[in-house]
Amino acid sequence: YFEGAQNAVVNLTFLTTDYAGQSPQQYGPYPLTQNTTFISPRFRGRLVSIKLDSNDVGSFWRIGNIRYRVKEDGKF
């Protein structure tokens, strides 16, 4: 709840694959707290999914804007 404790720890995990149907490779989880300003994970993959979860029962958390940088890699 909004009035609940403001000390939640949210785990951010990235899952990547190069082709659909492959088993994803996991990067993380990266624990995010109220004091975390940014993280710098590095990974490669054509398909990326983001997983957010938390085990803090009764605490309040929400995700704001997510910004990311990508760069082409490899041969074309």
Side-chain angles (χ1 to χ4, degrees), residues 1-6 58 60:
Y1 298 105
F2 184 72
E3 290 90 19
Q6 304 287 321
F60 174 77

Side-chain angles (χ1 to χ4, degrees), residues 4-76:
Q6 304 287 321
N7 57 357
V9 176
V10 177
N11 295 313
L12 175 65
T13 306
F14 297 95
L15 304 162
T16 66
T17 62
D18 285 330
Y19 301 100
Q22 285 183 333
S23 298
Q25 185 170 354
Q26 178 175 323
Y27 295 90
Y30 300 98
L32 306 175
T33 64
Q34 182 176 343
N35 298 321
T36 305
T37 55
F38 68 94
I39 60 170
S40 297
R42 294 179 62 111
F43 51 83
R44 292 182 181 187
R46 291 182 178 180
L47 305 171
V48 178
S49 63
I50 299 172
K51 176 182 172 186
L52 294 164
D53 64 357
S54 176
N55 293 329
D56 295 326
V57 177
S59 61
F60 174 77
W61 64 272
R62 64 182 170 193
I63 297 296
N65 293 335
I66 296 177
R67 295 188 299 172
Y68 54 91
R69 288 185 232 160
V70 296
K71 185 170 182 168
E72 295 177 359
D73 188 30
K75 298 179 181 180
F76 292 98

